Each structure stands twice: as C-alpha cells, then as structure tokens.
Amino acid sequence: MNAPQNVAAVAAALRETGAEARAGGTDLMARRREGIAGGPVTDLAGLVELRGVEWRADGSARIGALTTVAEVAADARLRAAYPALALTAAALATPQIRAVGTVGGNLLQRNRCAYFRSPLFDCHQSGGDTCPARAGDHANGTVVDLGSACVAPHPSSLAVALLAYAAEAEVAGQAKGTAGGGPRRPVADLYDGADSSRDHVLAPGELLTAVGLPAPAEGETAAYRRATSRSRAEWPLVEAVARVVWREGAVVDAAVAVGAVARTPLRLPEVEEALIGATGPEAAAGAVEGVVGRCAPLPRNGYKAALLRDTVRDVLERALAADQGI
Amino acid sequence: MTLNGAAAEASPGSDTTAAELVRDELGLTGTKVACGAGVCGACTLLVDGTPTASCLLPATALAGRTVTTVEGLAGPDGLHPVQRAFAAHDGMQCGYCTPGFVVEAAAFVDRHRAEHGDTRPSRAEIADALAGHLCRCGAYEGIYAAVAAACAGEHDTESPLPPPRAEAEEKVTGRARYTTDVRPEGCWEAVLVRSTRAHARVAAVDAGGAVHVDLLGADRTVRYVGQPLLAVAAPTPAEARAAAERVAVDYRDLPAALDPAAAHHAGAPVVYPTREAQNAAPSNNEGPPLPGRWRGNLRGPSGFGWRGGTAVRRVKDAAKRGDRRLVAEVFRTGPQVHTALEPHACVARWDEHGDLHLHTSTQAVVGVAEAAAKRWGLPRERVHVTAEHVGGGFGAKGGLRVEVVAAAELARAAGAPVRLVFDRAEELTDAGHRPGARVELGLLADAKGDLAALTMDAYNDGGMSTGGMVATLGLLMYGNAPRRLRDFDVLTNRPPGAPFRGPGGAQFHWALEQGVDMMAERLGEDPLALRRRWDGNRKRRALYDWAAALPVWAERTRGAGTGRFRRGVGVAAANWIYLTDPATVVDLVVEDGAVVARSAVQDIGTGSRSVITDVVRTELGLPADRVRVGVGRSGWSYAPGSNGSRTTASIGPAARDAARALREEVRRRAPGAVSGSGALDPEALKSLEGTQAGGRRRRDRGGYLTPVALPGMGAPGRGLTGAVHVMEVEVDTLLGQVRPLRCWAGISAGRMYNDRLARNQCEGGVVQGIGYALYEQRRDDPVTGAVLTTNLEDYRIPGIGDTPEITVHFHEEGWEHVVGGGVGIGEVSTIGVAAAVGNAVHDATGWRPREVPIRPDRLLEGIGLK
Ligand SMILES: Cc1cc2nc3c(=O)[nH]c(=O)nc-3n(C[C@H](O)[C@H](O)[C@H](O)COP(=O)(O)OP(=O)(O)OC[C@H]3O[C@@H](n4cnc5c(N)ncnc54)[C@H](O)[C@@H]3O)c2cc1C
Ligand code: SF4
Ligand code: FES
Ligand code: FES
C-alpha cells in the first residue's frame, strides 16, 4: 500500500474521494463486514506523526490520534498525570482491541445500536428517517434526552474520560467556510447530542490529529467504573469517570463524566459542585441525589436512571477513597 | 512480512482481513474465525509479539511486521510450554477456541515470566489477560490451570505422560482440521438467502441467473425472519455474496404472531393454518414430538403423570384454604442459543461415480449419512460423511440440516465441490436454540412435609417449532407422589428451536428446584435435607450427604445479608436419563505395529476419541504410541450420534469388547504375545499385521426405567443419573451484578472412563449453566421479529472471568448393572446449575429470581430499586 504520508495530503485525498479513514480498523472493518459501511477506504497508518504522546512545556500532554488505547493505558507518565484517562483506557474492550484501536478511532467510532448494525433495518443513522429502536428494543438506549430522535448512546469510553479533563481536539483538513468547530475545540464539541444522523460532527475529509490535555492537576485521585452483567469485556450499561483534586484533605475541584446514557458523553456539573469540600467517600451518596432527576427514560429502560446514579456513586466513592494523602 | 519465522509475501485487497489472508490465501487454518467481530479471540495472531484479533485487522496492516500464528508457536525444542500445559491440563474440549487461547496465553506467559520469574499468577491476572477470548465448551478451569502451570515453569520440557485427551497435540498446534478448514481445489462458495419477513407467502423468487437451489416448502411460505429460502453458489465468496444480493424475492406479507405471551389469544395470526402445515412444523426435540391437539397457535397439552386428577384436586383445595405448604409459582426462561464456536458448515462433493462426499460439522455422522442416502436415493455406503474434528454442537448439529442439503444440491448443480459456512449472525438466528418457557408450578407438601402433589404446565416458546418437553420431565424427580405434567407449544413467527444439552431440562429445573427451595423455606427445613427426604434414590442420597458435609454448606449464614456485597449459597438437584445404543461397534486392526481403532463416532469435544483410546490402551496394556484411533467417518463402524448422553456409554463398552476379542485373536495366533495379565507385547505387534477384531455394545442387565418409555427418546436405561450443584455467589446490590465465586458439582453417573475429560465436561456444564442463569438472552425485535442479538457482544456467553472455582465430585457406585459401569454426564452436569444460582441469589438477597437471565436490571428491580 502506498498510503499518503502527510496529514494535509491525506485530508485532501479523503475530501476528494469521499473515502472513510481507517486507523486501527476495529470499528470500520466490522461495519464493512456487516455491510453497513461501503465506499472507498484510506489508511491512516502511514501518518507516523500522529502516533505517540508529546509532552509540552507546561507539563501537559498532547496525544496523537493514532496512539493506541493500550499505549494510553500503559504509559507510566500518562498514568501519573491523567489517572482517569489511563484507567478508562485500561478498562475498555479487550486486550486485543486495545492493542489496535486508536484514540482517534475510539472517539469517532459509530454507535453499537443493534438496529443500526443490522442490514435488515434502516434508521436515522443509516440514511433513513425512523428509529426502530424507539418502538422496539431500547433496553440499552439513552436515558438522558439531548433532543435527538436517535436513542443510541455514544459508545466512546475515552470521550468520557477526556471530557472529565476538558481536553481539546485538534482537527485538520477543514474545508474553507465550513460551519462547526475550528481546528481546536473542546472534545465535547466533536459531538452534537441533538443530531440523529451521525455520532460525531467531523465532515468527511476532516482528520482528528490529536487530543491536548490541560496541565495535570496536583493531588488528583481518580476512578473509572462501568456497570455490566459479566465481569469483563462487556459494553457498559452505564460508565462513569471521576477525578477529584485535593488540598489539605478536602476536595477543591472535581470532574465527573458519564457515558452510555446519552447521545454524547456528559459532564455532571451538579455532582461536581456538591463534591467541593468533601473529605471522604461518605460525600458520594449525597452528591448523586439529583442525578435521577436529569433522566427521562424511554418506556423500557427505566432501570438506567437509578443505575446511572449508583454507578456515579460507586465511582465517586472509589475516587474519594483513593489515597487522599497527596 | 515475516510469517512464522520466514519471509512471506502477499498483496491483499483493502477489505481483506488478516484472518482471511493467513487462512484462505496462506493456508494456515489453525487460526479460526468464530465471531468476526473482535469478541471471541479465536482468530488471535501475534503481530510483533502482541496478540491481535485478526478478524478485524486489515491484512495490509501486516506489511513489514513479524507475524506468528499458532502453527509457528513451537520452537526448535518442540512445543511452546503453554501448548504443553494446555494439553496436560486439558484446557480444551472441542478445540475450536484453543489456537486463539494458546497464542494469547503464550504471549502472557512469556511476559509474566520475564517480569515476575517462574511464579503463578492469580486467577484475576489470568482472566484479565484472556478477557478477549470465549470458550463455549467452558473449558476455563483447565485453561486457568494450564496458564498458571506454564508461568510457574512446569512445562518447559516434554511430559513423559500422554495428555488426557488423545488429540490434544493436534488441537494446541492448530493442526486439527475442522469442516470450516476444508476447501478442496476448485471449491465454490455458497450463501443462503434468508427471509426478511416474519410471515409471508413467496409469490416469486428471481435468482438472477445464479446457480441456486430453492429451499422453500410446498406452501411457499416463510415463517420467520432469517428462514432460508434459496441458496446460491459461485466460484468465490465475494461472487457468491454478490449473487445473493441480486436475488429478488416477491413477498406477499401475512400478519405475524411475534409475542409468545399473546400468540394464543383469539384473533392472533396463525402460524400453521392447515393440518399439512402443522405436520410439517420442525421439531425442537429429539425424536418425534409428543402428540398434541392444535388450537390456533397453541398445541397440546401432552399430558403425563400419575393420579393427575388427585394432584390437581389437592393443589386446588390447598390454594382455596390458603395452605402455606403450597408453592404456586410462575417461572420464565427465554431462548438460549447453542453458540458452538465452529459454525454450522458443510463441504459437499459428488464424485465421478455419483457418490456423495460430505465434510460437515455434525454430531451425528451416521445419522447424516443415513438421511442423505435416503434423500438422494443412494445406498448408504455411497454417502461418505467426514467430521474429523467438530467445534462444538450442544444439540444443534444433529440430522440433515439446511447447510448439508444446500451444499449437496449446489454441488450437483455447479459440478464442483461447494462449501457453505454460517456466519455468526446466521448462527445466532437460525442454528437452533433452547426454547423459552413459561412454567406454572404447583408443589404441595402434606402435614408431614412429604410431597403430596406436583402440577406443572409448561408453555414452550420454540418459535415456529414444536416439541417442547419440559413439564414431562417431572416424571424423573421426587418419587411417585401424584402429579399432572402438561406441555404446550406456543407457536410464533420466530426461528425454530433445537435440542440443547438436556432438552427441556434447564427450563424444568429452573422452575422445580427453586420451587423446592421455597418449600424448604416454608417448612423451615434445610433445602438439602428436604431433597434427601423427597428423593428416595440411594445414589442421589449419597450426593446430598456429600453436599451437606461441604464446609460452604455447613457453615453458611442463614438469611439474607446486609451491605452492598452479599454472599449466598444455593443448591439444586437434577436427574437425567441415559440411553445406550446396542448397535454400536468398534473395530480394531493391527497396522504398522500399532493397534488401530476405527469408529464412525464424531468427537464434538466430549472426548469419544479419548474414551476409545483409553479403553484399548488399558485393556491391552499398550503404551500410548501403540494405539491409534480414527473417528468421524461414516464408512467406519456404526456409532450413535452425540446426544442423549449415550455416546460414551455405547462406545466405551464396545471398545472394551473389541480389545478383548483382539486379545483372544492374538492369543490364537501368537500365544507368546499375551502376558499373564492380558497385556499385549508391543514388539510382537509387528508380526501380527492385519489381525482384526470387532466389539459390540452388549445389553445392560434389567429393563426400562420409567413405567412408560419416554416418547421420542427411545428406551432409556435403568437408573437415572443425578447431580447436586452447590453454588456460592456474591451479589453487588448497588450495580446489580451477580458474581459466581465457587461451585461444587456432585455427579452420579457411574464410573468415569477418563477422569480429567469427565471433569472438564462437568466444569463446562457449570459454565454453561451460569451463562443461562445470568447472561444469555436472545433478543428479538418486537415489531418485525428479527433477532437483534446477532453477534457475540450482544449475545453474551460466559468468559473466563465469570468462571467460579469449580470442584467436581463423582459418586461412582450404583451402576454395576451397566456394561462398562459408566453412563453419560453431558446433560445432567448442566441442567440444574441455573437453579443453584437462583437459589444462591435468593439466599444472598432474600429476593427470588423468577426469570433467566438474572440481568442487572431485573436484579435491581427485584431487590427494590429506590
Ligand atoms: C469487543 C469489543 C468491545 C469494545 N468495548 C469498548 C468499550 O467498552 N468502550 C469503547 O470506547 N470502545 C469499545 N470498543 C470499540 C473500540 O474501542 C473501537 O473500535 C476502537 O477504539 C476504534 O479505534 P480504531 O482505530 O480501530 O478505529 P477505526 O475502526 O479505524 O475507525 C473508527 C471510525 O473513526 C474514524 N477515524 C479514525 N481515526 C480517525 C482520525 N484520526 N480522524 C478522522 N476520523 C478517524 C474512521 O473513519 C471510522 O469511521 C469495543 C470494541 C470491541 C470489538
Ligand atoms: S437508536 Fe439511533 S442507531 Fe438505533 S435505530 Fe434508532 S436511530 Fe438508529
Ligand atoms: S473471530 Fe476474531 S475475535 Fe472472534
Ligand atoms: S474448547 Fe473452547 S469452544 Fe470448544
């Protein structure tokens, strides 16, 4: 394969051919086999510049889009600086998928709704104008309504963690005069919760090149949790990330983000505020009280509201119990 | 790239996966593809030393990399230690998942030893490392043991002992050939075109000029989404898929019955409107279905029992007076899919003499040959069925199925061999399933606490198939108190079921054994003590006594726990019948200085090859390298299908009989070659070339088991096999997860032919029962009837991390009347497990689960979602 070798050229080629980019391919190859993705493919593998972690002068990290999930999980410096991110990376999918799947592919993967993935159905996400999951099986559907007709939760676990760090996405190859986010934007702005037709807002030809994190916080403890039926290797019913920053035995800053409950990953500011001043895990139960009120369950996924609250409670208890000595 | 140490070149297309490249283009078929979705790990390769799922990896990503497949794991000094360890600890059954496990485990073991020296990793570390693998046979206990031992450096040299499983080395090296690995020269590929409608008359089908075979029945009606209506073939897989795309079907939609809870209501669309259509309905059971009257979509009841009127009257009266000793409950189960990792597959070829050659993944080699001979009007010996290795069956691979019919018809039409392999979505939709059931249970105790009446009505949900037999199994349990047992089929426009490891048994025990626990609670009696009292059988009483003495039982805390994580212990008993097939024959012949056994019997992972090998070796006192066993060819001597717990009990005695006959023959020819103990002199075999003998399966002493022979099951042997499972779980009451911690499986089925293999099968039975209890649920779209759980992410089978520590106990006495002293364990070792989980969850939380799987949402709702 003579894959083009620089970002500008690849972006231009993508725009010209309308090809879909392929990073690790763990999502794209599955969709092509299922017959729900077609058309040309352009490999990103040749873009060595998008691999690996760069440490910037302020001590912050910039993670190339082609860095694998396993590299994020195993990188000692990332683990120390951004524990919530590394914990999340280590907990998602399976070792084989983490070894190949990339940060960019994880953030931009398509949703796992069984109707979307089945060749037997058309829906908003595949060019149609209905949502068969609404009338059908949506036991794992969204429980927080962001105004979309589609009820498939966003699949990306890394997005949840990056949201908790208020990370920034770097995007190349934008066509002139396009609306939407600029070349640098919050990771949250990769998504539009009201949009029923796609799982991220990048236009064909736009490339995610890196995610930039803010300088690490001193005295951070963190946790990642997901609710599943089996012990491992299962997509979450609900997932949650918590980071808390301590000064002198009390929480001075907190970030809590959740996934698998809405069309995008979500921050829970009301929970974060309630944590300020907390001194230990006892604070968790009170902090999550309002979470259920945010939820607007579908007819057959009502369990998710309380499960969301309790998963958040669990992740908070762990983050608050994790070595507060620092 | 560098492939297994040598340079290799290829120029794959952009959509070609690494798995396709190594298997189809480079012929390294050790790597398997079971899910195609990155979930099961069967396709794992080492890419620059890192385990990678090759089914999702673009082949182009291998450029310039160092790639190791299972075939390349062995080094100059022989097998990788992990391969030896898997063989020694029997970390496998059917072996289809084994190459993937072995490749991943090799990387883990090497890394672990480099970082921690020769130490044993914890179970959790092993589970983390192998989280991306699934083994449907549930051979996880052996895998844990193998990986830990390899890490500890226990398998750095070759073992002097042969492995417990005869074909272990073939399986750990990827040499074992399955039907999916067979691709003869000039082979065409076939694809099934399946209905996209739940119920429709097919007015016309346009095959678009493709080589095809029509698969629709006489009434030209499709009755579920996914029903095969046509098969096409073309020289390559891509062309075949394209041809299938071009097929145009003109459907005339009919109203469909999709909800089993409403299908029998007046006005519901009727699945089988005519007598002919009813008679053509497929069966989800072994043998012909029980007789039953049809009323719309309700078929039945098929009534059984004794003093049924008395039982019903007693239960009614007890209900009227509000008797606490009446347990009247409704339990539910949903469809459970077999999910063998090797999909249904067949490669068919007609030779120049008009003989039919079938390679197929079947659990009934002879059955397929007989049925094929009948269908195509050939003498049986002109149909040649081969199933050398079979990647799991669990009941779904019996008889002449659509993949065989379609492949053989297409091979004739194409004038070329034709290969048809189900993909995972087809497998999870249309390969059969254990039907769901709604079971209405009535269990009444009298003043003394004895069983006074048992009533059970089971409404079986086998989609558009009939044959549910759940309540009928009440014939087998708890003595002879009055009972009325009625089975109904509720027909819907959903895929047909198939026999599944103890057909009806898992549904039946889920209900009955929880009911018995509820009774024990009402009577204030220990659940084991109650079962022991109700069950008069001596062999099973020994199991109850064994269980009662287990520390986990004796020391358990009574009553529901408090706090977030709560532990509980549950028990369940189970009985099953055993069958034998007196027509079974094993033939032995001396060839190249070794005794060679040949039998048509298939080995689906249950160890039939090993049973014959062990019996012949032991009986003739021969070293491992002097006994060879060939199985899985219809031309070899007759053996039954692998179902009904009858294979081992049939071939074991036949093999012994043959060995004895061979010894006599040798004694006649060369008296000096037989020692005083009856052993053959291995050196003398060379001069005995061609000596032959055959052995038969002789009849057991005694007659039938039940007052009536069970319809459709043949004449069961005398004596029921028994199991008592004790399960310990931990329930996370915050997030709704149930974690099985430890399980004890007590089994009474006589003497075990091969101890390690028998334990392995019982361990797998526990794992499958846990899957049934906690995770497995086929989901169907309520609007269209399409199956939604078409991949292994959504259809959840247990992984290695979900496996409790399992202890298997065999109570071997009491089977002296059986020739060979031992009978089958396949079914009895799994059917009671889910109820043991249910009882343990109740013990932990005080909440009684009534429906499987005990999903987090159900558990949280049950224990009181705030
Ligand atoms: C069994 C299993 C379990 C899983 N569990 C989880 C889980 O728990 N949590 C989770 O988050 N994920 C999970 N995943 C998904 C997995 O993490 C993703 O498939 C993977 O991260 C995608 O990365 P990739 O590089 O392979 O993406 P690809 O398949 O290469 O690409 C995915 C999409 O992103 C686009 N894309 C990729 N890179 C770029 C880029 N730089 N710029 C623009 N577009 C780009 C592609 O065009 C494509 O549309 C699971 C997957 C499997 C198979
Ligand atoms: S939830 Fe979204 S992806 Fe699923 S069917 Fe509805 S629109 Fe399609
Ligand atoms: S076949 Fe690749 S992971 Fe299952
Ligand atoms: S041995 Fe693992 S799937 Fe059969």
Side-chain angles (χ1 to χ4, degrees), chain A residues 94 96-97, chain B residues 19 31-44 52-57 132-134 341 424 792:
Chain A
T94 69
Q96 298 104 306
I97 297 298
Chain B
T31 302
K32 301 291 184 256
V33 174
C35 73
V39 192
C40 76
C43 64
T44 303
T52 307
S54 64
C55 66
L56 294 183
L57 188 71
H133 294 262
L134 293 170
L341 283 202
R424 190 48 56 183
L792 288 182

Side-chain angles (χ1 to χ4, degrees), chain A residues 111 113 115-116 123-125 130-134 149-152 196:
Chain A
N111 75 73
C113 172
Y115 293 94
F116 171 55
C123 73
H124 298 294
Q125 292 276 349
T130 56
C131 171
R134 278 191 178 262
C150 170
V151 296
S196 288

Side-chain angles (χ1 to χ4, degrees), chain B residues 498-804:
Chain B
F500 191 156
R501 201 168 175 181
Q507 303 94 302
F508 170 77
H509 287 92
W510 169 248
L512 180 72
E513 284 300 286
Q514 288 204 82
V516 172
D517 241 51
M518 297 174 88
M519 182 66 84
E521 205 181 328
R522 305 257 172 105
L523 299 176
E525 189 171 359
D526 177 286
L528 266 173
L530 175 65
R531 288 180 170 86
R532 192 181 189 286
R533 251 179 353 93
W534 280 11
D535 183 347
N537 184 279
R538 193 147 13 106
K539 295 184 292 255
R540 283 189 304 280
R541 282 191 163 182
L543 292 180
Y544 297 127
D545 293 342
W546 159 81
L550 291 171
V552 71
W553 186 259
E555 293 158 15
R556 75 195 196 286
T557 49
R558 308 290 168 99
T562 54
R564 173 172 169 187
F565 294 99
R566 298 180 201 166
R567 291 195 177 188
V569 183
V571 67
N575 287 349
W576 200 246
I577 55 163
Y578 78 93
L579 306 171
T580 59
D581 192 332
T584 307
V585 172
V586 170
D587 287 318
L588 298 177
V589 58
V590 178
E591 265 177 33
D592 300 329
V595 174
V596 179
R598 293 203 172 92
S599 161
V601 74
Q602 54 290 321
D603 193 338
I604 62 171
T606 48
S608 49
R609 204 185 252 106
S610 308
V611 165
I612 299 176
T613 308
D614 282 1
V615 166
V616 173
R617 268 186 207 158
T618 316
E619 193 64 34
L620 300 179
L622 288 170
D625 62 342
R626 297 305 180 108
V627 177
R628 291 202 307 272
V629 176
V631 300
R633 282 177 194 266
S634 59
W636 291 341
S637 50
Y638 173 87
S642 293
N643 50 29
S645 264
R646 61 184 165 165
T647 325
T648 301
S650 299
I651 58 169
R656 175 161 302 130
D657 196 46
R660 288 180 178 161
L662 185 74
R663 179 162 56 219
E664 289 323 304
E665 189 58 25
V666 168
R667 211 193 295 275
R668 218 173 44 77
R669 291 197 185 189
V674 182
S675 79
S677 64
L680 301 193
D681 174 5
E683 295 315 309
L685 289 177
K686 286 196 195 73
S687 55
L688 288 161
E689 195 68 13
T691 308
Q692 325 192 358
R696 292 194 308 111
R697 179 23 167 122
R698 297 181 192 282
R699 280 174 193 283
D700 296 346
R701 277 183 283 132
Y704 294 129
L705 147 78
T706 40
V708 284
L710 290 179
M713 296 189 113
R718 200 161 56 83
L720 292 172
T721 55
V724 173
H725 283 97
V726 179
M727 181 76 69
E728 182 188 34
V729 303
E730 182 178 83
V731 179
D732 177 354
T733 58
L734 189 68
L735 302 188
Q737 193 184 61
V738 178
R739 201 155 64 91
L741 299 175
R742 293 184 292 174
C743 180
W744 289 261
I747 307 285
S748 160
R751 202 180 63 79
M752 293 302 130
Y753 280 87
N754 178 318
D755 186 78
R756 178 60 201 122
L757 266 58
R759 281 178 201 280
N760 192 339
Q761 208 184 348
C762 293
E763 290 157 1
V766 170
V767 173
Q768 284 188 0
I770 285 171
Y772 190 55
L774 297 178
Y775 319 125
E776 294 182 38
Q777 182 179 27
R778 195 190 75 193
R779 287 172 172 275
D780 308 331
D781 179 41
V783 178
T784 62
V787 172
L788 296 174
T789 44
T790 53
N791 59 54
L792 288 182
E793 286 167 28
D794 294 332
Y795 190 79
R796 301 181 183 130
I797 64 174
I800 187 166
D802 306 309
T803 307

Side-chain angles (χ1 to χ4, degrees), chain A residues 1 22 26 29 32-33 95-96 100 112 115 121 137 228-235 303 310-311 314, chain B residues 14-15 36 44 52 56 58 60 104 128 131-133 564 737 775 779 781 784 788 793 796-797 801-802 857:
Chain A
M1 293 284 306
R22 181 164 71 186
T26 55
M29 293 295 275
R32 291 181 75 85
R33 183 184 47 79
Q96 298 104 306
V100 174
R112 313 298 287 204
Y115 293 94
F121 295 90
D137 185 340
T228 56
S229 58
R230 290 174 302 180
S231 75
R232 288 167 177 80
E234 184 170 302
W235 286 92
Y303 75 97
D310 292 339
T311 309
D314 192 21
Chain B
S14 168
D15 270 334
T44 303
T52 307
L56 294 183
T60 51
E104 179 100 42
D128 284 342
H133 294 262
R564 173 172 169 187
Q737 193 184 61
Y775 319 125
R779 287 172 172 275
D781 179 41
T784 62
L788 296 174
E793 286 167 28
R796 301 181 183 130
I797 64 174
D802 306 309
D857 58 318

Side-chain angles (χ1 to χ4, degrees), chain A residues 16 55 58 80 91 104 125 131 139 191 194 214 229 274 321:
Chain A
E16 229 161 77
W55 291 94
D58 63 350
Q125 292 276 349
C131 171
Y191 311 115
S229 58

